[in-house]
Amino acid sequence: MNSPADWLSPAEWDAVRLSLKVAFWATLLSLPLGIATAYALARGRFWGREWLNGLVHLPLILPPVVTGYLLLLGFGPKGPFGAPLETLGLGVAFRWTGAALAAAIMGFPLMVRAIRLSIEAVDRNLEEASATLGAPPIWVFLTVTLPLSLPGVLTGAILGFAKAMGEFGATITFVSNIPGQTQTLPSAIYAFLQIPGGESSALRLVGISIAVAMGALLASELLARRLSARLNGLDA
Amino acid sequence: MSLTVALNHAFAGFTLSARFDAPPGITALFGRSGSGKSTILKSVAGLLRPDHGQIRLNDHLLFDSARAHCLPPHRRRLGVIFQEDRLFPHLSVGQNLRYGAWITGQGMERQARAQIIEMLGLGPLLRRRPGGLSGGERQRVAIGRALLGQPEMILADEPLSALDEARKAEILPYFERLRDELHIPILYVSHAPAEIARLATTVVALQDGQVLRQGPAREVLADPSVTPAGVRAAGAVLQAVLTGHDPQDGLSLLDAQGLRLFVPRVRAAPGTPIRLRIPAQDVMLSLSAPEGISAHNIVPARVQQIRPGEGPGALVTLETQAGVLLARVTRRAVRKLDLREGMQVYGIVKAISLAPEDVGAPKASRSGL
């Protein structure tokens, strides 16, 4: 079997690998925060809940270039968050970690929305039953709410991943378009389209984008179906 | 071991104000929907915080508004059986049953655990998932799950009302066994007089958020002024012993303090104590001992009290050798027979009108027939 490196140029292959890496870490690291935020929005009764909701959804509505620019201001080498990170050697501007941060923020609203809907669908009567059996709130969440909202968590993660794979505007604004460093799949397609004779490279990457997106959706559909059969309490 | 409740809670429509004790055995909160019984149960479970009051279980203070003390539900050690079974759909029956022990880290003794599983007939279901079970099976699992958490008290919120008649008949005996074998208080919410008559040791009758009367089930149910479920549902409870069966006619013979009563066949062995509820609707009155009549049960009685109702009916309290009976007749009949307090009459009860759910044999499921 041929390795992908045989039919992709090194530059194309770099972009694919980088995008997968960025999307993987963006999804993995934002998932716990996404679940916590979704839970707070679904079940919390606290002051500022609507503001939190607005803040989470902001990247969905703002032009991506604005989000990217705000990230640059905050996390740039001289930004209020960027400067301390830079001295710790953890600077993110113009690095792949910055691309992951941008992708995570852009995918966050989609992820939170999917998880929130499925937490809201969990029967609160079951949570009450769990509490009467001796479960403190954190155990109620871990043993009842979370398992029963797994299909939504999965959907949220896949949506976040797909969004991270495709993020372009905020990423290119924040971390630029450095081949091998910050040139993700969409940035690479954009770059190939700028140079004469780059169309064939661009097309190959477009094909890969479609394949990854489609594969992710199919996988999530399949997993979600299996999960809900289990969660509906039917005999295996 | 007992529960003491005193609470006030204001709703949009009415105010709940209740004060009662629940000793071991089944204490039934009896009333129509909206009378406040479920609110009381939720307050005891910790799922609702009442405005004022105190709730005490043995020597634990569960709630005390004066001290701003409200124990969260997970620290109350109560087994709650809900109207809907509320089984965890993502766990197997066995995992549902072990849930309480797993969460609290306090497993039950293996033998006690096996006993409960055996009593409820859950052995064959352990590997199944709740989604594939029948309504009756699911409610049995829910009972088992509540018991296996080693509660200091059981709360049951209309546990039979979501089941059809056949499933109800399947579950009722289990509650009778809990009452007779478990020495902890059981608070049982219901609006069904037949259930209350069969199960309750103590009855707290509620109406519009107020306690109408509380006391031993026989006394409260025989009180004609206490009809929280409406006069149509009124009926007294007699304590009797099964003396024999008449296989040819499909009847059983009971003895209530010397009074012989025929009832539809009871699945229990002679000598079994039986609780019999006689709905007031099904008792006719006659001034002389009737002859040539199809009814089997003719009970000599003395009229103790006549309470005319708001409609065409009147509720007559009868004193018999077996205890107090209630008869619901028309006001016209009271006038035509010239019924007065202290008169000798005969109460007539058709054997066939006694429904099986009115006849309770506590250990029926064990002794078989």
Side-chain angles (χ1 to χ4, degrees), chain A residues 125-126 128-137 139 143-144 147-148 230-235, chain B residues 47 73-74 78 80 82 84 86-90 99-100 102-104 128-132 145:
Chain A
N125 285 339
L126 296 176
E128 276 186 5
S130 161
T132 65
L133 287 163
W139 282 104
T143 61
V144 176
L148 288 175
R230 251 179 69 97
L231 297 179
N232 286 334
L234 297 172
D235 288 307
Chain B
L47 301 173
H74 67 272
L78 302 168
V80 187
F82 299 95
E84 335 80 45
R86 299 198 187 182
L87 298 180
F88 302 128
H90 56 302
Y99 187 85
W102 177 61
I103 284 284
T104 57
R128 306 269 303 274
R129 287 184 157 270
R145 186 178 68 173

Side-chain angles (χ1 to χ4, degrees), chain B residues 85-364:
Chain B
D85 50 77
R86 299 198 187 182
L87 298 180
F88 302 128
H90 56 302
L91 302 178
S92 71
V93 167
Q95 289 168 326
N96 265 282
L97 292 173
R98 279 194 300 274
Y99 187 85
W102 177 61
I103 284 284
T104 57
Q106 295 171 352
M108 204 177 219
E109 254 180 80
R110 179 183 288 259
Q111 204 182 350
R113 192 180 122 78
Q115 229 167 23
I116 289 174
I117 290 177
E118 201 264 343
M119 177 183 99
L120 292 165
L122 298 177
L125 307 179
L126 292 177
R127 287 169 181 280
R128 306 269 303 274
R129 287 184 157 270
L133 304 182
S134 74
E137 287 170 331
R138 292 170 66 98
Q139 201 54 292
R140 259 156 55 204
V141 177
I143 295 171
R145 186 178 68 173
L147 291 179
L148 288 169
Q150 305 186 70
E152 289 179 10
M153 176 169 189
I154 296 277
L155 306 177
D157 188 5
E158 309 219 17
L160 304 184
S161 64
L163 303 176
D164 59 36
E165 290 307 318
R167 297 284 92 71
K168 272 183 199 167
E170 173 193 332
I171 302 294
L172 260 172
Y174 292 112
F175 277 102
E176 287 174 317
R177 291 185 61 175
L178 297 189
R179 177 191 66 203
D180 300 333
E181 294 173 18
L182 222 61
H183 301 286
I184 61 175
I186 300 171
L187 193 62
Y188 190 101
V189 165
S190 176
H191 62 259
E195 256 172 71
I196 304 268
R198 237 180 107 164
L199 296 177
T201 26
T202 307
V203 171
V204 178
L206 288 162
Q207 192 166 43
D208 302 327
Q210 310 289 323
V211 175
L212 275 185
R213 194 175 161 187
Q214 56 181 307
R218 280 180 64 182
E219 287 175 22
V220 176
L221 294 174
D223 183 343
S225 67
V226 178
T227 49
V231 278
R232 280 168 188 284
V237 175
L238 299 181
Q239 197 66 48
V241 175
L242 181 66
T243 51
H245 300 288
D246 184 339
Q248 206 179 343
D249 292 329
L251 293 175
S252 294
L253 188 60
L254 307 185
D255 178 301
Q257 267 93 71
L259 181 72
R260 285 153 53 88
L261 290 168
F262 284 98
V263 297
R265 174 74 161 254
V266 183
R267 301 192 144 271
T272 310
I274 302 280
R275 272 186 182 217
L276 179 67
R277 173 176 179 272
I278 302 186
Q281 302 255 68
D282 295 334
V283 181
M284 275 189 287
L285 294 180
S286 165
L287 291 180
S288 53
E291 279 174 38
I293 185 169
S294 66
H296 292 294
N297 301 313
I298 294 164
V299 185
R302 197 177 64 82
V303 176
Q304 204 178 55
Q305 196 190 24
I306 302 169
R307 275 181 74 93
E310 284 165 19
L315 208 51
V316 181
T317 312
L318 303 171
E319 207 182 306
T320 75
Q321 66 186 107
V324 169
L325 265 187
L326 292 178
R328 186 165 178 256
V329 296
T330 57
R331 290 207 300 230
R332 181 181 147 86
V334 172
R335 199 174 61 241
K336 280 189 74 179
L337 298 180
D338 194 20
L339 286 180
R340 284 159 207 277
E341 284 163 18
M343 266 171 81
Q344 279 306 128
V345 294
Y346 293 86
I348 302 161
V349 184
K350 283 176 74 178
I352 207 78
S353 68
L354 298 174
E357 70 255 27
D358 290 323
V359 184
K363 312 231 169 159

Side-chain angles (χ1 to χ4, degrees), chain A:
Chain A
M1 199 177 144
N2 293 338
S3 90
D6 293 344
W7 46 273
L8 286 177
S9 74
E12 291 162 19
W13 177 231
D14 275 350
V16 171
R17 266 198 326 209
L18 183 70
S19 263
L20 287 171
K21 182 162 88 173
V22 162
F24 174 78
W25 287 105
T27 309
L28 194 72
L29 296 180
S30 61
L31 194 57
L33 191 63
I35 293 172
T37 309
Y39 186 75
L41 289 175
R43 291 288 154 86
R45 293 285 167 268
F46 53 91
W47 186 88
R49 185 164 156 270
E50 290 314 310
W51 286 97
L52 177 64
N53 191 32
L55 188 70
V56 165
H57 282 90
L58 215 50
L60 201 61
I61 301 146
L62 280 177
V65 64
V66 171
T67 307
Y69 183 58
L70 288 174
L71 278 172
L72 195 55
L73 288 180
F75 287 88
K78 292 185 179 131
F81 305 107
L85 285 174
E86 209 69 46
T87 54
L88 289 172
L90 294 170
V92 293
F94 307 111
R95 294 192 177 85
W96 77 267
T97 48
L101 178 64
I105 287 175
M106 295 301 287
F108 203 62
L110 296 172
M111 179 186 272
V112 168
R113 196 165 186 81
I115 300 172
R116 175 184 175 173
L117 285 176
S118 91
I119 289 178
E120 280 171 348
V122 171
D123 186 355
R124 303 198 74 167
N125 285 339
L126 296 176
E127 298 175 349
E128 276 186 5
S130 161
T132 65
L133 287 163
I138 180 72
W139 282 104
V140 173
F141 174 74
L142 289 175
T143 61
V144 176
T145 320
L146 188 59
L148 288 175
S149 43
L150 269 186
V153 172
L154 186 76
T155 308
I158 301 265
L159 281 173
F161 184 85
K163 177 73 193 169
M165 284 293 290
E167 214 301 306
F168 175 65
T171 309
I172 204 162
T173 313
F174 181 32
V175 295
S176 184
N177 190 357
I178 310 162
Q181 297 284 323
T182 62
Q183 191 177 67
T184 57
L185 208 62
S187 315
I189 293 172
Y190 177 75
F192 281 124
L193 290 177
Q194 303 302 308
I195 52 172
E199 280 91 349
S200 61
S201 289
L203 268 177
R204 275 199 292 274
L205 293 181
V206 165
I208 288 174
S209 292
I210 293 173
V212 169
M214 210 54 196
L217 284 174
L218 288 178
S220 81
E221 191 64 25
L222 200 74
L223 274 168
R225 212 175 294 163
R226 274 202 189 175
L227 269 176
S228 26
R230 251 179 69 97
L231 297 179
N232 286 334
L234 297 172
D235 288 307

